[in-house]
Amino acid sequence: MNTREKIILLGDNLIRKKGYNAFSFGDISKELGIKNASIHYHFTTKTTLVIAIIQKHHMLLEKFKRRIANENPLQKLIQFLSVYAVAKSEGRISILGALSNDYYSFDPEVQAELKILTDNTLNWLTDTLKDGKKEGFFNYNMDHHTKALMIITNILGAEHLSRITYHQNFLEIKNTIINDLIS
């Protein structure tokens, strides 16, 4: 892993553990044992770093979608929600959950990248729900996109609230989302 990749990985972890406004290039340089100038060589500003982190998540989402493409809709949803659960068990939250609170404070370039990632996630989830309902896996009485929005808002809210309450609350919400869809 080269220095640029290490900076992106560490920046991603810091955002998802502490939040965008709670870390600096100094935190990264200290952790990696490099000078701030080394970070600025790869990322002139925090904005350029955050864009690279979001783009990394674009690639991860596309890789995830390819990996589970042949699964049935229920398995796709279970695996999708498990990504959030794994991050939560490691003390992190999703990049969408970590950055959505600061959306209006970001430069337009960051807002645009975050919007693309959010739309891509929601569109995939909407299509998965639509297929799942058509194939008899899911049962719900609302527009597919609205249901996808409800699932995303529930899981993102659970990420944040379970930081204060208990980890099992997050797992209960995750399981309730699935059980609600299949009942």
Side-chain angles (χ1 to χ4, degrees), residues 130-172:
K130 188 183 305 180
D131 291 345
K133 189 164 184 183
K134 181 180 174 184
E135 295 173 28
F137 287 99
F138 304 141
N139 182 28
Y140 54 90
N141 295 317
M142 64 181 65
D143 174 73
H144 305 297
H145 185 72
T146 302
K147 189 63 175 177
L149 285 168
M150 290 183 68
I151 290 170
I152 290 291
T153 56
N154 276 310
I155 207 70
L156 296 183
E159 288 180 323
H160 285 281
L161 190 58
S162 65
R163 283 180 159 179
I164 300 165
T165 60
Y166 302 100
H167 179 69
Q168 72 259 20
N169 291 355
F170 176 83
L171 296 176
E172 288 171 10

Side-chain angles (χ1 to χ4, degrees), residues 28-121:
I28 294 172
S29 64
K30 182 179 177 183
E31 178 76 23
L32 294 180
I34 60 176
K35 295 184 180 193
N36 275 3
S38 297
I39 298 170
H40 285 285
Y41 173 78
H42 297 284
F43 303 101
T44 54
T45 63
K46 200 171 177 182
T47 292
T48 57
L49 173 58
V50 172
I51 288 170
I53 291 168
I54 295 169
Q55 289 171 344
K56 175 189 122 179
H57 283 275
H58 286 292
M59 290 186 297
L60 291 171
L61 177 61
E62 292 306 314
K63 184 178 176 181
F64 171 80
K65 291 182 336 186
R66 283 190 305 273
R67 183 174 56 83
I68 64 164
N70 294 324
E71 300 286 340
N72 69 53
L74 177 58
Q75 285 305 311
K76 287 179 181 181
L77 182 69
I78 289 169
Q79 290 186 44
F80 176 72
L81 294 175
S82 292
V83 170
Y84 290 84
V86 167
K88 185 69 182 137
S89 71
E90 296 170 348
R92 296 175 294 144
I93 63 173
S94 67
I95 197 68
L96 295 180
L99 294 176
S100 61
N101 289 340
D102 298 312
Y103 181 80
Y104 290 113
S105 69
F106 292 134
D107 290 337
E109 299 86 6
V110 175
Q111 289 178 345
E113 287 294 325
L114 188 56
K115 177 87 168 93
I116 291 167
L117 179 61
T118 302
D119 288 346
N120 195 357
T121 303

